[in-house]
Amino acid sequence: MSTTPVVASRFTTAELTWLLSLRPGGSATLVAVALGLPSPAETAAPDPSGLEQLIATGRATERRGEVLPHGEAVVVGDVLTSSSALVSVGTATALAGLVAVGRDRVLLLAPAGPAGVEVAALDAATPVGDAMAALAARIGEHAVVLVAVPGGPVTEVFPGADLAGRVQELLP
């Protein structure tokens, strides 16, 4: 797993929707569902404001009529659209955190207001199960932990003894 740092950044839901639309598929769809975004498979053309925001902040560049993500947006888009697993923690009505397990890094996403998401890299030395168990412990007995593998089932992992180990076992 890469230890190249990804600075914690805020992305708007419109920006994330645009990034997910670049590579629609199982992973992108699971991320969209978890974050309450339009499914990239169903969105012929995402809201152009996401692209405009990415260009304005330097996270996308336009060359010869083609727009490509740049910098941290490349990393975020790549991990979210090609992750091997997603783990979410929240309550029955709200998401507290979502982890996307990529090929060489793991990203933690957390809601940040009505139209934003904070994105940061999880430390390479921290097992995903440990991070999600710690978040579930902060929520308490009402925590809902879900593990999803693109193309596979979504599995609920009930809080309790060895939550970290039980989550880790479900990851590819």
Side-chain angles (χ1 to χ4, degrees):
M1 183 177 302
S2 172
T3 57
T4 304
V6 173
V7 177
S9 300
R10 183 179 174 146
F11 284 81
T12 66
T13 53
E15 290 171 326
L16 288 176
T17 299
W18 187 81
L19 289 171
L20 293 174
S21 75
L22 294 177
R23 196 184 316 158
S27 181
T29 299
L30 286 171
V31 170
V33 168
L35 296 175
L37 304 175
S39 171
E42 298 171 2
T43 306
D47 180 355
S49 69
L51 174 58
E52 293 164 3
Q53 292 164 5
L54 287 167
I55 291 172
T57 59
R59 293 189 216 177
T61 54
E62 186 173 2
R63 284 190 213 142
R64 294 179 239 170
E66 186 175 26
V67 180
L68 298 171
H70 180 72
E72 63 195 5
V74 171
V75 174
V76 171
D78 180 57
V79 171
L80 296 183
T81 60
S82 66
S83 57
S84 61
L86 299 166
V87 183
S88 68
V89 175
T91 65
T93 59
L95 177 70
L98 174 70
V99 166
V101 180
R103 288 182 298 274
D104 65 348
R105 58 186 89 215
V106 176
L107 297 181
L108 174 62
L109 293 82
V117 176
E118 293 286 335
V119 180
L122 192 62
D123 178 21
T126 304
V128 171
D130 290 355
M132 299 316 273
L135 184 54
R138 294 187 76 191
I139 295 170
E141 65 184 49
H142 298 293
V144 176
V145 180
L146 301 173
V147 177
V149 176
V154 176
T155 305
E156 183 170 2
V157 184
F158 295 97
D162 195 30
L163 176 61
R166 291 181 289 126
V167 166
Q168 204 68 40
E169 286 175 1
L170 293 170
L171 301 177

